[in-house]
Amino acid sequence: MADIPYLSSKTELDDYIEQCDALILYFTAVWCGPCRAIAPVMQQLYSTHTNVEIVKVDLDTQRQIVSQYKITAVPTFVALQKGKEVDRIQGANVEKTYQMVKTLSEKEPQSKRRDTNASTSGATSGASENDSQAVEKYAGKGHKLLNKTVLFGEFEALNALPVKGNTDLKNIVREKPDSSDTGIYSDADSQLLVHVPLTNVCKVSSILIKAKKHENTQLPDKIKVWANRTSIISFEDTESINALHSETDIDGWDDQGWYELKLKFVRFQKVTSLDLLLEGEDEDEHTVIDRILIIGLDGEAKNQGKIEKLDHDH
């Protein structure tokens, strides 16, 4: 059974509500100890009650939804029946949470989970058509798009400005960007630094970079990648700390503007974050990128706690 998905936007929530008569919003945060403790129980309930859709809502990145449901602590579980709230639990109470899921399942026995229209066994679930085509082209067998696991509350980009107006820089890695203009470019010189933290411990096989030239910009000519840093690497440290992966004189962008950084899989087995330095050939020109897609295998949540299995009959 697949892992409980993360909600990526208010639009996606509306889609869940429209499709799922039995839906539980699972408000959580990666720093929350009780959230980690109850995570295995929620995964078990997700596996056994297949007519109930459960979706995680990250407290730090989905502030609009958190405000909408007046969430003041995590974990909080909100049960929706045909879009209307019918129950709410605050705290990691295993017995009450089990009863919530069981009751909702019994009330809506014909309810179905959201149809993601996924292809290649869910490898591109939720992605745009262009992103999906790139993932299908470059992802290995069984590997999928991991951008839904990005921890946006800790995402950083240094020396970066949006190509269009006040577009959110985080759109560069969002599975479902809230704008069609996702590009960023280097500000003062040719170097861009991006820190992409993940909610789960993942195995990363490749990183796809999409870029197209805009006026007075250049494509990346050199890319370095580091893993498992707790905060963004400094420009100074990119010269002294060895990267796990490095490419120079980059060429071979495909006709859709994608370039694949094919990583040595053994070096990226337990990844909790990625740092990327992207640099153009001319140090006086702006370097531009439009998308970053992370490909690999999803894993368990960081520091996930353990809790005994439920012994209830289902």
Side-chain angles (χ1 to χ4, degrees):
M1 175 63 66
D3 292 337
I4 298 173
Y6 272 90
L7 198 63
S8 63
S9 66
K10 176 65 167 64
T11 300
E12 190 176 36
L13 172 60
D14 294 340
D15 193 30
Y16 272 103
I17 291 173
E18 181 180 351
Q19 294 191 38
C20 307
D21 291 339
L23 173 64
I24 291 178
L25 304 182
Y26 170 11
F27 291 89
T28 183
V30 294
W31 43 261
C32 168
C35 300
R36 294 195 295 270
I38 202 170
V41 170
M42 293 307 298
Q43 186 62 47
Q44 181 188 348
L45 292 172
Y46 186 66
S47 299
T48 56
H49 294 76
T50 55
N51 65 315
V52 177
E53 181 65 276
I54 302 175
V55 62
K56 293 180 181 179
V57 186
D58 184 78
L59 183 74
D60 296 314
T61 63
Q62 300 300 329
R63 302 306 300 177
Q64 181 182 2
I65 300 169
V66 168
S67 176
Q68 177 183 342
Y69 285 92
K70 297 179 172 60
I71 303 302
T72 58
V74 285
T76 294
F77 306 92
V78 178
L80 303 180
Q81 183 179 3
K82 292 183 170 65
K84 294 183 178 180
E85 182 175 338
V86 293
D87 197 5
R88 176 181 293 232
I89 298 169
Q90 183 173 299
N93 189 309
V94 173
E95 184 64 32
K96 288 184 178 180
T97 305
Y98 166 75
Q99 289 297 334
M100 169 191 274
V101 177
K102 182 174 181 290
T103 300
L104 191 58
S105 177
E106 291 172 349
K107 286 183 177 179
E108 295 292 343
Q110 303 304 315
S111 180
K112 295 181 180 180
R113 289 184 175 167
R114 179 179 177 235
D115 179 10
T116 59
N117 295 315
S119 58
T120 62
S121 302
T124 59
S125 174
S128 69
E129 182 178 355
N130 189 269
D131 288 357
S132 297
Q133 291 173 351
V135 175
E136 290 173 11
K137 178 178 179 179
Y138 292 107
K141 184 177 181 181
H143 291 213
K144 64 179 183 178
L145 181 64
L146 299 178
N147 287 49
K148 69 177 181 180
T149 70
V150 173
L151 178 58
F152 289 100
E154 297 179 9
F155 172 89
E156 290 186 75
L158 298 184
N159 194 40
L161 292 173
V163 170
K164 293 289 182 69
N166 295 319
T167 305
D168 190 350
L169 299 179
K170 296 172 184 176
N171 278 327
I172 200 78
V173 291
R174 277 201 175 101
E175 184 179 27
K176 287 187 174 181
D178 57 23
S179 170
S180 59
D181 299 314
T182 60
I184 64 174
Y185 69 92
S186 60
D187 181 18
D189 53 29
S190 65
Q191 293 185 321
L192 278 168
L193 260 181
V194 180
H195 176 66
V196 187
L198 306 175
T199 59
N200 294 358
V201 181
C202 300
K203 298 180 180 180
V204 180
S205 55
S206 63
I207 301 171
L208 305 183
I209 309 293
K210 185 178 184 183
K212 58 182 179 181
K213 285 186 178 182
H214 301 265
E215 187 177 358
N216 299 320
T217 65
Q218 61 184 334
L219 303 185
D221 179 67
K222 177 171 68 175
I223 302 177
K224 293 182 178 181
V225 184
W226 296 261
N228 300 337
R229 297 186 59 85
T230 56
S231 60
I232 193 166
I233 191 170
S234 69
F235 284 107
E236 182 179 357
D237 285 343
T238 63
E239 297 296 328
S240 58
I241 298 177
N242 290 333
L244 290 180
H245 184 88
S246 181
E247 295 189 21
T248 58
D249 301 322
I250 289 175
D251 197 3
W253 302 83
D254 72 17
D255 56 2
Q256 296 298 314
W258 291 101
Y259 182 82
E260 181 188 24
L261 292 169
K262 195 168 184 62
L263 308 177
K264 290 187 177 180
F265 201 36
V266 294
R267 295 184 179 179
F268 293 86
Q269 287 289 298
K270 296 181 178 180
V271 177
T272 57
S273 70
L274 293 166
D275 281 44
L276 286 79
L277 173 71
L278 305 106
E279 185 174 356
E281 184 177 12
D282 187 338
E283 65 180 18
D284 295 322
E285 276 197 21
H286 304 295
T287 302
V288 66
I289 59 172
D290 292 291
R291 293 287 279 150
I292 298 174
L293 301 184
I294 304 166
I295 308 298
L297 302 174
D298 201 357
E300 293 183 345
K302 297 177 185 176
N303 303 316
Q304 179 167 292
K306 293 184 179 180
I307 197 162
E308 292 182 3
K309 287 181 66 177
L310 295 171
D311 293 325
H312 300 281
D313 294 329
H314 303 294

